[in-house]
Amino acid sequence: IFKPGIRAVAEDITGSVTGSVHADSATGAAVPGATVDVLTAGSPVTDSDPTHVVASTSTDTNGNFRIPFLLPGSYVLRATASGFTPALLPGLTITTGTETRNQIIIVVAP
């Protein structure tokens, strides 16, 4: 079921996160086309409740991602990629006016 929505947030009160998704280790192969979700703090890896997804993006050809316009608070990053088990990176803290950089999410083959 598609439920359209519009999310409007003032840029001056938000932060952002950047990082990459890698296979098997932090120095493993980059994973292009992975879906990266920002979830509310405490969400489990298999959480399918769309109300817990704050924002989403996909990794580029180098496995990198950037998610802007996040309100200050605590979140969890989740990476989902074809052929890999979904992975969580807990403990993401967003601060107003700050870009949290170099978050690495490691996915592994099932």
Side-chain angles (χ1 to χ4, degrees):
I1 297 174
F2 178 70
K3 187 175 183 181
I6 297 174
R7 180 175 174 258
V9 183
E11 183 177 10
D12 61 340
I13 63 168
T14 64
S16 61
V17 60
T18 65
S20 56
V21 177
H22 295 271
D24 302 319
S25 72
T27 58
V31 180
T35 299
V36 179
D37 299 313
V38 177
L39 305 173
T40 55
S43 296
V45 69
T46 58
D47 193 346
S48 61
D49 185 343
T51 64
H52 294 168
V53 178
V54 176
S56 292
T57 193
S58 295
T59 56
D60 64 15
T61 56
N62 296 315
N64 298 316
F65 66 88
R66 180 175 188 271
I67 302 175
F69 310 116
L70 297 170
L71 292 172
S74 297
Y75 300 98
V76 174
L77 289 174
R78 176 178 60 197
T80 307
S82 180
F84 295 95
T85 301
L88 290 181
L89 182 63
L92 172 65
T93 300
I94 297 296
T95 307
T96 299
T98 303
E99 183 165 89
T100 304
R101 299 174 188 264
N102 303 319
Q103 302 299 297
I104 297 174
I105 307 172
I106 301 167
V107 293
V108 294

